[in-house]
Structure formats: structure tokens, C-alpha cells
Amino acid sequence: MARGRKSTVSIVAATGDPVAITEPPGLSPGASEKWASLVPLLVQSRGLVQTDADAIAQYCEAWALRQRALAELHERGSKLVHETPNGALQINPLITIARQQEAVMMRLSERFGLDPASRQRLKVVDGTAKGDDEFGAFLKESPSGCGGEAGA
């Protein structure tokens, strides 16, 4: 995608409502490609809205930067650890960049249910939030709100 052009993803969300999410301006080409593949999935399964665009853009940029760092590491045939001029061993800065971006991606992926644990924590099933569980229904039915008979 050319720089400066915004991509708008129009999709019908899991709720059946049409949703349009506009790509924020200034995404790098790699981030823009990730945006185009990720946002339709998130809109359908998580009820993504325009206010989520900046956080998704951060995730996409982190992904793109990680990919660039790893590609450069492989293209150069760089070592994982190198020796500094004073003889000390130092981890390759490209690995540091990749690891930092992975940390950003992990934090943001938890917000959007991009892994099984966060989907469970967010209580998302088939793109919709779970209703009350059995315990919640039990509490609602109880006259005292605590699951037992009043005064028991």
C-alpha cells in the first residue's frame, strides 16, 4: 500500500452491524500489510471499533519492526552475540529490537484476545462476549443476591 493512503476496512461484525475501521495515517508499509490482514479478523471476532485503531496500529508497527530486525539479522548473517572493542560480549542490537517489539506485541495482543488465554479472560467465544455464567445466573435468581435463602 502506498504511503499516505488510508485503508478502510468495512465489515459486518459478529453482532451483524456494519463496522468501518480506518487505518491511521503514517503506518510503515509492513505495518500497513499487517493491518490489512489483522483488522478484518478482529472486527469480525472482537467487535473492534475506530477507537481501537491506534492500539492496533501500535501492534502492527511493533510487528513490522520486529520483522525488519529479524530479516536484517538473517540477511547479514549476524551473530547473536558479538565482541565489543574492549573485549566484552554483547547481544546483537537487532535481537534486542526484536525482543522489545515482541514485548509490545504481547501486551497489546492481550487487549484484543489474540491468544487463547486472553480470549478466555476476555470471555470471548465465537466473536461475542459470553453472557452470565451459571454462577452469575444463580446469583441473579437468589432473593438475597448471595445464592442462599434470606436469613439462612
Side-chain angles (χ1 to χ4, degrees), residues 38 41-42 44-47 59 105-131:
L38 182 62
L41 298 173
L42 288 174
Q44 286 180 340
S45 65
R46 307 287 174 265
Y59 178 90
M105 290 169 61
M106 289 300 295
R107 283 192 307 271
L108 291 169
S109 69
E110 290 175 1
R111 284 187 186 179
F112 297 104
L114 296 178
D115 61 90
S118 64
R119 280 192 295 276
Q120 182 66 26
R121 192 173 49 257
L122 294 171
K123 297 180 181 179
V124 175
V125 176
D126 296 329
T128 59
K130 285 185 188 177

mmCIF file of all heavy atoms in Angstrom, residues 38 41-42 44-47 59 105-131:
data_model
loop_
_atom_site.group_PDB
_atom_site.id
_atom_site.type_symbol
_atom_site.label_atom_id
_atom_site.label_comp_id
_atom_site.label_asym_id
_atom_site.label_seq_id
_atom_site.Cartn_x
_atom_site.Cartn_y
_atom_site.Cartn_z
ATOM 1 N N LEU A 38 -4.959 -8.227 9.712
ATOM 2 C CA LEU A 38 -5.401 -8.415 11.089
ATOM 3 C C LEU A 38 -6.753 -7.771 11.397
ATOM 4 O O LEU A 38 -7.606 -8.378 12.051
ATOM 5 C CB LEU A 38 -4.340 -7.859 12.045
ATOM 6 C CG LEU A 38 -4.594 -7.999 13.535
ATOM 7 C CD1 LEU A 38 -4.690 -9.463 13.936
ATOM 8 C CD2 LEU A 38 -3.490 -7.296 14.316
ATOM 9 N N LEU A 41 -10.101 -9.622 10.732
ATOM 10 C CA LEU A 41 -10.306 -10.723 11.677
ATOM 11 C C LEU A 41 -10.774 -10.202 13.029
ATOM 12 O O LEU A 41 -11.668 -10.771 13.657
ATOM 13 C CB LEU A 41 -9.010 -11.512 11.852
ATOM 14 C CG LEU A 41 -8.465 -12.181 10.591
ATOM 15 C CD1 LEU A 41 -7.092 -12.777 10.868
ATOM 16 C CD2 LEU A 41 -9.428 -13.232 10.086
ATOM 17 N N LEU A 42 -10.156 -9.115 13.478
ATOM 18 C CA LEU A 42 -10.531 -8.547 14.772
ATOM 19 C C LEU A 42 -11.929 -7.943 14.754
ATOM 20 O O LEU A 42 -12.664 -8.059 15.725
ATOM 21 C CB LEU A 42 -9.517 -7.492 15.209
ATOM 22 C CG LEU A 42 -8.159 -8.027 15.637
ATOM 23 C CD1 LEU A 42 -7.197 -6.873 15.908
ATOM 24 C CD2 LEU A 42 -8.281 -8.919 16.853
ATOM 25 N N GLN A 44 -14.447 -8.896 12.946
ATOM 26 C CA GLN A 44 -15.428 -9.982 12.937
ATOM 27 C C GLN A 44 -15.509 -10.693 14.280
ATOM 28 O O GLN A 44 -16.577 -11.084 14.713
ATOM 29 C CB GLN A 44 -15.079 -10.993 11.854
ATOM 30 C CG GLN A 44 -15.388 -10.484 10.484
ATOM 31 C CD GLN A 44 -15.035 -11.502 9.421
ATOM 32 O OE1 GLN A 44 -14.251 -12.410 9.633
ATOM 33 N NE2 GLN A 44 -15.624 -11.337 8.252
ATOM 34 N N SER A 45 -14.376 -10.863 14.944
ATOM 35 C CA SER A 45 -14.399 -11.688 16.146
ATOM 36 C C SER A 45 -14.432 -10.912 17.454
ATOM 37 O O SER A 45 -14.801 -11.463 18.475
ATOM 38 C CB SER A 45 -13.176 -12.608 16.142
ATOM 39 O OG SER A 45 -11.994 -11.849 16.232
ATOM 40 N N ARG A 46 -14.053 -9.643 17.461
ATOM 41 C CA ARG A 46 -13.932 -8.927 18.721
ATOM 42 C C ARG A 46 -14.758 -7.659 18.808
ATOM 43 O O ARG A 46 -14.677 -6.944 19.789
ATOM 44 C CB ARG A 46 -12.476 -8.536 18.993
ATOM 45 C CG ARG A 46 -11.489 -9.644 18.933
ATOM 46 C CD ARG A 46 -11.590 -10.569 20.125
ATOM 47 N NE ARG A 46 -10.706 -11.686 19.933
ATOM 48 C CZ ARG A 46 -11.078 -12.844 19.424
ATOM 49 N NH1 ARG A 46 -12.306 -13.049 19.061
ATOM 50 N NH2 ARG A 46 -10.227 -13.820 19.262
ATOM 51 N N GLY A 47 -15.491 -7.316 17.768
ATOM 52 C CA GLY A 47 -16.266 -6.087 17.842
ATOM 53 C C GLY A 47 -15.385 -4.856 17.873
ATOM 54 O O GLY A 47 -15.662 -3.894 18.568
ATOM 55 N N TYR A 59 0.406 -2.222 17.530
ATOM 56 C CA TYR A 59 0.701 -3.646 17.387
ATOM 57 C C TYR A 59 1.309 -3.915 16.005
ATOM 58 O O TYR A 59 2.319 -4.602 15.885
ATOM 59 C CB TYR A 59 -0.576 -4.479 17.573
ATOM 60 C CG TYR A 59 -0.337 -5.947 17.391
ATOM 61 C CD1 TYR A 59 0.018 -6.748 18.472
ATOM 62 C CD2 TYR A 59 -0.452 -6.544 16.136
ATOM 63 C CE1 TYR A 59 0.251 -8.105 18.301
ATOM 64 C CE2 TYR A 59 -0.213 -7.890 15.957
ATOM 65 C CZ TYR A 59 0.138 -8.666 17.037
ATOM 66 O OH TYR A 59 0.385 -10.007 16.858
ATOM 67 N N MET A 105 4.096 -6.340 21.448
ATOM 68 C CA MET A 105 3.068 -7.148 20.802
ATOM 69 C C MET A 105 2.314 -7.994 21.824
ATOM 70 O O MET A 105 1.081 -8.110 21.749
ATOM 71 C CB MET A 105 3.696 -8.048 19.730
ATOM 72 C CG MET A 105 4.206 -7.294 18.522
ATOM 73 S SD MET A 105 5.203 -8.326 17.432
ATOM 74 C CE MET A 105 4.014 -9.572 16.976
ATOM 75 N N MET A 106 3.027 -8.565 22.767
ATOM 76 C CA MET A 106 2.372 -9.395 23.784
ATOM 77 C C MET A 106 1.397 -8.568 24.620
ATOM 78 O O MET A 106 0.272 -9.003 24.872
ATOM 79 C CB MET A 106 3.403 -10.067 24.690
ATOM 80 C CG MET A 106 4.195 -11.160 24.013
ATOM 81 S SD MET A 106 3.156 -12.500 23.407
ATOM 82 C CE MET A 106 2.526 -13.149 24.938
ATOM 83 N N ARG A 107 1.826 -7.380 25.054
ATOM 84 C CA ARG A 107 0.934 -6.527 25.855
ATOM 85 C C ARG A 107 -0.314 -6.152 25.069
ATOM 86 O O ARG A 107 -1.432 -6.201 25.594
ATOM 87 C CB ARG A 107 1.669 -5.274 26.319
ATOM 88 C CG ARG A 107 2.609 -5.510 27.474
ATOM 89 C CD ARG A 107 3.090 -4.215 28.089
ATOM 90 N NE ARG A 107 3.662 -3.285 27.146
ATOM 91 C CZ ARG A 107 4.943 -3.242 26.790
ATOM 92 N NH1 ARG A 107 5.806 -4.086 27.303
ATOM 93 N NH2 ARG A 107 5.369 -2.338 25.941
ATOM 94 N N LEU A 108 -0.137 -5.780 23.819
ATOM 95 C CA LEU A 108 -1.281 -5.364 23.012
ATOM 96 C C LEU A 108 -2.144 -6.551 22.588
ATOM 97 O O LEU A 108 -3.365 -6.417 22.496
ATOM 98 C CB LEU A 108 -0.810 -4.578 21.793
ATOM 99 C CG LEU A 108 -0.233 -3.199 22.122
ATOM 100 C CD1 LEU A 108 0.460 -2.591 20.914
ATOM 101 C CD2 LEU A 108 -1.319 -2.273 22.637
ATOM 102 N N SER A 109 -1.538 -7.690 22.361
ATOM 103 C CA SER A 109 -2.320 -8.852 21.949
ATOM 104 C C SER A 109 -3.271 -9.288 23.056
ATOM 105 O O SER A 109 -4.355 -9.799 22.784
ATOM 106 C CB SER A 109 -1.417 -10.011 21.530
ATOM 107 O OG SER A 109 -0.726 -10.542 22.637
ATOM 108 N N GLU A 110 -2.896 -9.058 24.301
ATOM 109 C CA GLU A 110 -3.774 -9.392 25.424
ATOM 110 C C GLU A 110 -5.033 -8.524 25.427
ATOM 111 O O GLU A 110 -6.093 -8.969 25.852
ATOM 112 C CB GLU A 110 -3.028 -9.241 26.744
ATOM 113 C CG GLU A 110 -1.970 -10.308 26.942
ATOM 114 C CD GLU A 110 -1.141 -10.098 28.191
ATOM 115 O OE1 GLU A 110 -1.385 -9.122 28.935
ATOM 116 O OE2 GLU A 110 -0.237 -10.913 28.422
ATOM 117 N N ARG A 111 -4.923 -7.302 24.949
ATOM 118 C CA ARG A 111 -6.092 -6.412 24.888
ATOM 119 C C ARG A 111 -7.144 -6.903 23.902
ATOM 120 O O ARG A 111 -8.335 -6.658 24.077
ATOM 121 C CB ARG A 111 -5.686 -5.014 24.417
ATOM 122 C CG ARG A 111 -5.006 -4.173 25.413
ATOM 123 C CD ARG A 111 -4.861 -2.791 24.803
ATOM 124 N NE ARG A 111 -4.091 -1.916 25.639
ATOM 125 C CZ ARG A 111 -3.803 -0.672 25.318
ATOM 126 N NH1 ARG A 111 -4.241 -0.169 24.175
ATOM 127 N NH2 ARG A 111 -3.103 0.074 26.120
ATOM 128 N N PHE A 112 -6.681 -7.548 22.850
ATOM 129 C CA PHE A 112 -7.578 -7.886 21.750
ATOM 130 C C PHE A 112 -7.875 -9.375 21.637
ATOM 131 O O PHE A 112 -8.488 -9.808 20.672
ATOM 132 C CB PHE A 112 -7.002 -7.351 20.433
ATOM 133 C CG PHE A 112 -6.902 -5.858 20.432
ATOM 134 C CD1 PHE A 112 -5.677 -5.237 20.597
ATOM 135 C CD2 PHE A 112 -8.033 -5.071 20.327
ATOM 136 C CE1 PHE A 112 -5.584 -3.855 20.623
ATOM 137 C CE2 PHE A 112 -7.950 -3.691 20.363
ATOM 138 C CZ PHE A 112 -6.720 -3.081 20.508
ATOM 139 N N GLY A 113 -7.431 -10.155 22.611
ATOM 140 C CA GLY A 113 -7.741 -11.579 22.599
ATOM 141 C C GLY A 113 -7.059 -12.322 21.473
ATOM 142 O O GLY A 113 -7.662 -13.183 20.838
ATOM 143 N N LEU A 114 -5.786 -12.016 21.231
ATOM 144 C CA LEU A 114 -5.064 -12.665 20.140
ATOM 145 C C LEU A 114 -4.402 -13.973 20.562
ATOM 146 O O LEU A 114 -3.688 -14.577 19.773
ATOM 147 C CB LEU A 114 -4.010 -11.711 19.563
ATOM 148 C CG LEU A 114 -4.557 -10.451 18.914
ATOM 149 C CD1 LEU A 114 -3.427 -9.565 18.422
ATOM 150 C CD2 LEU A 114 -5.509 -10.789 17.783
ATOM 151 N N ASP A 115 -4.622 -14.408 21.787
ATOM 152 C CA ASP A 115 -4.106 -15.687 22.247
ATOM 153 C C ASP A 115 -5.191 -16.373 23.077
ATOM 154 O O ASP A 115 -6.106 -15.723 23.567
ATOM 155 C CB ASP A 115 -2.819 -15.502 23.066
ATOM 156 C CG ASP A 115 -3.053 -14.668 24.301
ATOM 157 O OD1 ASP A 115 -3.380 -15.257 25.347
ATOM 158 O OD2 ASP A 115 -2.911 -13.427 24.238
ATOM 159 N N PRO A 116 -5.107 -17.693 23.223
ATOM 160 C CA PRO A 116 -6.174 -18.415 23.933
ATOM 161 C C PRO A 116 -6.419 -17.918 25.359
ATOM 162 O O PRO A 116 -7.570 -17.789 25.779
ATOM 163 C CB PRO A 116 -5.682 -19.862 23.934
ATOM 164 C CG PRO A 116 -4.766 -19.950 22.775
ATOM 165 C CD PRO A 116 -4.110 -18.602 22.669
ATOM 166 N N ALA A 117 -5.364 -17.630 26.110
ATOM 167 C CA ALA A 117 -5.539 -17.194 27.498
ATOM 168 C C ALA A 117 -6.279 -15.862 27.582
ATOM 169 O O ALA A 117 -7.188 -15.698 28.395
ATOM 170 C CB ALA A 117 -4.188 -17.093 28.195
ATOM 171 N N SER A 118 -5.914 -14.912 26.726
ATOM 172 C CA SER A 118 -6.591 -13.612 26.789
ATOM 173 C C SER A 118 -8.021 -13.708 26.265
ATOM 174 O O SER A 118 -8.907 -13.015 26.744
ATOM 175 C CB SER A 118 -5.807 -12.532 26.040
ATOM 176 O OG SER A 118 -5.724 -12.811 24.669
ATOM 177 N N ARG A 119 -8.263 -14.603 25.294
ATOM 178 C CA ARG A 119 -9.643 -14.795 24.838
ATOM 179 C C ARG A 119 -10.501 -15.330 25.976
ATOM 180 O O ARG A 119 -11.633 -14.894 26.166
ATOM 181 C CB ARG A 119 -9.696 -15.747 23.638
ATOM 182 C CG ARG A 119 -9.342 -15.083 22.336
ATOM 183 C CD ARG A 119 -9.672 -15.962 21.153
ATOM 184 N NE ARG A 119 -8.894 -17.181 21.102
ATOM 185 C CZ ARG A 119 -7.669 -17.270 20.586
ATOM 186 N NH1 ARG A 119 -7.092 -16.210 20.085
ATOM 187 N NH2 ARG A 119 -7.041 -18.421 20.565
ATOM 188 N N GLN A 120 -9.945 -16.240 26.747
ATOM 189 C CA GLN A 120 -10.682 -16.781 27.885
ATOM 190 C C GLN A 120 -10.922 -15.697 28.929
ATOM 191 O O GLN A 120 -12.011 -15.568 29.464
ATOM 192 C CB GLN A 120 -9.911 -17.954 28.502
ATOM 193 C CG GLN A 120 -10.614 -18.616 29.652
ATOM 194 C CD GLN A 120 -11.902 -19.308 29.230
ATOM 195 O OE1 GLN A 120 -12.060 -19.706 28.084
ATOM 196 N NE2 GLN A 120 -12.825 -19.434 30.150
ATOM 197 N N ARG A 121 -9.894 -14.910 29.215
ATOM 198 C CA ARG A 121 -10.012 -13.847 30.213
ATOM 199 C C ARG A 121 -11.004 -12.783 29.762
ATOM 200 O O ARG A 121 -11.759 -12.238 30.558
ATOM 201 C CB ARG A 121 -8.637 -13.228 30.472
ATOM 202 C CG ARG A 121 -8.580 -12.321 31.662
ATOM 203 C CD ARG A 121 -7.184 -11.850 32.005
ATOM 204 N NE ARG A 121 -6.434 -11.327 30.882
ATOM 205 C CZ ARG A 121 -5.467 -11.994 30.236
ATOM 206 N NH1 ARG A 121 -5.123 -13.201 30.585
ATOM 207 N NH2 ARG A 121 -4.833 -11.438 29.229
ATOM 208 N N LEU A 122 -11.020 -12.487 28.468
ATOM 209 C CA LEU A 122 -11.959 -11.505 27.934
ATOM 210 C C LEU A 122 -13.341 -12.107 27.726
ATOM 211 O O LEU A 122 -14.279 -11.411 27.362
ATOM 212 C CB LEU A 122 -11.449 -10.948 26.596
ATOM 213 C CG LEU A 122 -10.165 -10.125 26.668
ATOM 214 C CD1 LEU A 122 -9.654 -9.822 25.267
ATOM 215 C CD2 LEU A 122 -10.379 -8.855 27.449
ATOM 216 N N LYS A 123 -13.440 -13.402 27.941
ATOM 217 C CA LYS A 123 -14.706 -14.131 27.799
ATOM 218 C C LYS A 123 -15.301 -13.928 26.416
ATOM 219 O O LYS A 123 -16.463 -13.576 26.264
ATOM 220 C CB LYS A 123 -15.694 -13.731 28.887
ATOM 221 C CG LYS A 123 -15.211 -14.084 30.269
ATOM 222 C CD LYS A 123 -16.200 -13.692 31.307
ATOM 223 C CE LYS A 123 -15.626 -14.067 32.671
ATOM 224 N NZ LYS A 123 -16.474 -13.714 33.755
ATOM 225 N N VAL A 124 -14.480 -14.179 25.411
ATOM 226 C CA VAL A 124 -14.928 -14.058 24.034
ATOM 227 C C VAL A 124 -15.053 -15.457 23.459
ATOM 228 O O VAL A 124 -14.124 -16.234 23.500
ATOM 229 C CB VAL A 124 -13.938 -13.230 23.189
ATOM 230 C CG1 VAL A 124 -14.338 -13.210 21.740
ATOM 231 C CG2 VAL A 124 -13.850 -11.824 23.745
ATOM 232 N N VAL A 125 -16.220 -15.765 22.951
ATOM 233 C CA VAL A 125 -16.472 -17.054 22.332
ATOM 234 C C VAL A 125 -17.157 -16.788 21.004
ATOM 235 O O VAL A 125 -18.176 -16.115 20.951
ATOM 236 C CB VAL A 125 -17.375 -17.934 23.219
ATOM 237 C CG1 VAL A 125 -17.710 -19.226 22.508
ATOM 238 C CG2 VAL A 125 -16.721 -18.197 24.557
ATOM 239 N N ASP A 126 -16.584 -17.312 19.948
ATOM 240 C CA ASP A 126 -17.159 -17.133 18.610
ATOM 241 C C ASP A 126 -17.462 -15.672 18.313
ATOM 242 O O ASP A 126 -18.489 -15.343 17.735
ATOM 243 C CB ASP A 126 -18.434 -17.971 18.446
ATOM 244 C CG ASP A 126 -18.131 -19.459 18.538
ATOM 245 O OD1 ASP A 126 -17.020 -19.848 18.138
ATOM 246 O OD2 ASP A 126 -19.007 -20.205 18.998
ATOM 247 N N GLY A 127 -16.599 -14.776 18.768
ATOM 248 C CA GLY A 127 -16.739 -13.377 18.427
ATOM 249 C C GLY A 127 -17.680 -12.583 19.291
ATOM 250 O O GLY A 127 -17.848 -11.402 19.086
ATOM 251 N N THR A 128 -18.327 -13.203 20.247
ATOM 252 C CA THR A 128 -19.228 -12.445 21.094
ATOM 253 C C THR A 128 -18.853 -12.663 22.548
ATOM 254 O O THR A 128 -18.381 -13.729 22.921
ATOM 255 C CB THR A 128 -20.694 -12.879 20.885
ATOM 256 O OG1 THR A 128 -20.809 -14.266 21.185
ATOM 257 C CG2 THR A 128 -21.149 -12.601 19.479
ATOM 258 N N ALA A 129 -19.083 -11.680 23.357
ATOM 259 C CA ALA A 129 -18.801 -11.817 24.785
ATOM 260 C C ALA A 129 -19.807 -12.781 25.389
ATOM 261 O O ALA A 129 -20.974 -12.782 25.029
ATOM 262 C CB ALA A 129 -18.879 -10.462 25.473
ATOM 263 N N LYS A 130 -19.317 -13.603 26.284
ATOM 264 C CA LYS A 130 -20.204 -14.545 26.957
ATOM 265 C C LYS A 130 -21.200 -13.789 27.819
ATOM 266 O O LYS A 130 -20.878 -12.772 28.401
ATOM 267 C CB LYS A 130 -19.408 -15.465 27.884
ATOM 268 C CG LYS A 130 -18.631 -16.526 27.210
ATOM 269 C CD LYS A 130 -18.013 -17.407 28.278
ATOM 270 C CE LYS A 130 -17.046 -18.396 27.707
ATOM 271 N NZ LYS A 130 -16.402 -19.184 28.736
ATOM 272 N N GLY A 131 -22.386 -14.333 27.910
ATOM 273 C CA GLY A 131 -23.363 -13.807 28.849
ATOM 274 C C GLY A 131 -22.974 -14.272 30.240
ATOM 275 O O GLY A 131 -21.869 -14.747 30.472
#
